[in-house]
Amino acid sequence: MKAYNFLAFDLGATSGRSVLLTLQDGKFEMREITRFPNAVMELHGKYYWDIFALYKSLKQGLCTCAKENIPIDSIGIDTWGVDFAYIGKGGSILGLPRAYRDPYTHGMEEAYFKKVARKEVYERTGIQIMNFNSLFQLYAAKQEEYEPLENAEEILFMPDALSYMLTGKRICEYTDASTSQILNPVTKQFETRLLEAAGVSPSLLRDVVMPGTYIGELTDAIAQETGIGKVPVIAVTGHDTAAAVVAVPSVDPEFAYLSSGTWSLMGIEVEEPIITDESYEMNFTNEGGIEGTTRFLKNITGMWLLEQCRKEWEKAGRIYSYSQIVEMGESAKPFRCFVNPDDPVFANPSSMLKAIAGYCKTTGQFVPVTDADFVRCIFESLALRYNEVICMLKKLAPFTIKKLHVIGGGSRNKLLNQFTANAIGMPVVAGPSEATAIGNGLVQARSAGIVTSRWEMRQLVVNSIPTETFLPQAQELWREAYTRYDKIVNQQVYK
């Protein structure tokens, strides 16, 4: 069988990569070609993504492939959700895209609900209410009289904006658009009423296309500049979690997944959206998946807490490897303090260490002292939060959940995987860690006709990537810990 080379551009909130997936004889191999930083940029109190730096980094990945004489069959791009670029009437990108951590959306959801009721917004979109969703970003921009919005002909979500920069062709990919809180998950069309209530023209958004759609070839200028030639660009599962779920190594549809990274996304894959009074009260979301499926999930603040602590430690001259951090977590005394990772105080604090310490003090708990104390607090709190969410999922899922697949970078954290198994009381299957890039590449393979379904894609993952299973331990201790956690973060007995 011919070897196929698919180039996956996988962009996260803190870094991006170009990854080569080579598929041959029913298996694939992966190789990281380039890695580059990505970060929110603050300017005059507003927060942006430097899309032009990202564009330059994508071209560098193409240049590297050309220099190494790697023939590329196609290219795909996945990113985080909700954020977008404004496109002017002449096709220019109007300024830098605003970042979802920009405080301009604070309180905007409640202001918007005076125009359209909260429950109606949920019933029309099935999306978890979060202040930074695209709908509320557009409403906030309208209230600001934000100049790029005032002059925009169209908006393009982040993966679509980057593919537009590479090809000159504009599309609106389904999975990323589904995170916006504007798309109806049943009709798969944008809700004009919601846009009009925000004071925004529905013409800003075009009809969605499904993952696997051909966008176009690289522009002549990029093909020549990079030396890579006229390579086709495919609309993959543009939202990174959708890409990661493609790569869940399961041949059984009755699974739950946890895509673990800066954010932790816990959910199930279903054929139809779940929009009920219970899902509304529990604030679950219905996002788009491969083959028109629904990713029924909840967003959980994940390794963001640890990432921000590490930045502070590094500034103080304490630089820890990931293995050292795991050892620190193992060495610290257990069950001394817990936090709710999704408390607004942890969204974007000036000091994460102070935010965690302040939360523990306010709730009458032990206040972390050593760096190891902070690590243990974060890992235990995440595991207990995962148990809280999976208990909700069990009530809403149309099937019995028997195991949890942990995918993404966090799947390499053996201590957190074991804590999670202990907390949820069921097996945790860890891997692949590169699920997002794998899913990106496999959707390109499906577009090329090499595989025909998501189950064939997942069988390729099973054939190619080893996993590790963690079984529950110390069940009674973790049940007692969860009872304490629940009182602290939900019943607020100390507040």
Side-chain angles (χ1 to χ4, degrees), residues 28 30 244 246-250 258 260 405-412 429-436 438-439 461-462 464-468:
F28 61 80
M30 298 185 65
V246 169
V248 171
S250 176
L258 175 66
S260 179
H405 284 271
V406 179
I407 53 179
S411 68
R412 294 191 295 261
V429 180
S433 61
E434 304 294 345
T436 303
I438 292 171
V461 180
V462 172
S464 306
I465 305 292
T467 59
E468 184 174 3

Side-chain angles (χ1 to χ4, degrees), residues 40-41 47-49 83 97-104 137:
V40 172
M41 182 177 70
Y47 292 78
Y48 304 94
W49 298 110
D83 292 337
R98 297 285 279 272
Y100 63 84
R101 294 197 185 276
D102 192 309
Y104 80 132
Q137 290 200 44

Side-chain angles (χ1 to χ4, degrees), residues 386-447:
Y386 296 158
N387 181 56
E388 182 179 12
V389 173
I390 208 162
C391 286
M392 297 179 196
L393 267 176
K394 287 178 180 178
K395 295 177 182 177
L396 299 169
F399 53 81
T400 301
I401 300 171
K402 297 178 181 177
K403 66 175 65 172
L404 176 69
H405 284 271
V406 179
I407 53 179
S411 68
R412 294 191 295 261
N413 188 328
K414 294 188 177 184
L415 181 61
L416 182 55
N417 291 336
Q418 187 61 63
F419 283 1
T420 301
N422 298 347
I424 68 176
M426 67 175 67
V428 167
V429 180
S433 61
E434 304 294 345
T436 303
I438 292 171
N440 180 322
L442 290 179
V443 174
Q444 294 181 60
R446 187 177 186 275
S447 180

Side-chain angles (χ1 to χ4, degrees), residues 138 142 149 152-153 155 192 195-196 198-205:
L138 285 167
K142 186 66 177 179
L149 172 58
E153 178 183 65
I155 66 170
T192 57
L195 288 164
E196 288 167 349
V200 174
S201 171
S203 66
L204 285 177
L205 288 159

Side-chain angles (χ1 to χ4, degrees), residues 11 33-34 94 162 171 296 306 330 333 377 405 431 434-435:
L11 279 64
I33 301 297
T34 59
L94 304 178
L162 289 163
I171 55 100
F296 183 71
L306 180 62
E330 288 177 319
K333 189 174 179 179
C377 174
H405 284 271
E434 304 294 345

Side-chain angles (χ1 to χ4, degrees), residues 211-261:
T213 298
Y214 169 81
I215 301 173
E217 294 182 330
L218 295 174
T219 64
D220 292 340
I222 294 176
Q224 183 175 1
E225 177 188 349
T226 62
I228 200 69
K230 299 285 286 183
V231 180
V233 178
I234 305 300
V236 294
T237 37
H239 188 241
D240 49 11
T241 308
V245 173
V246 169
V248 171
S250 176
V251 294
D252 179 355
E254 298 183 348
F255 63 85
Y257 60 83
L258 175 66
S259 181
S260 179

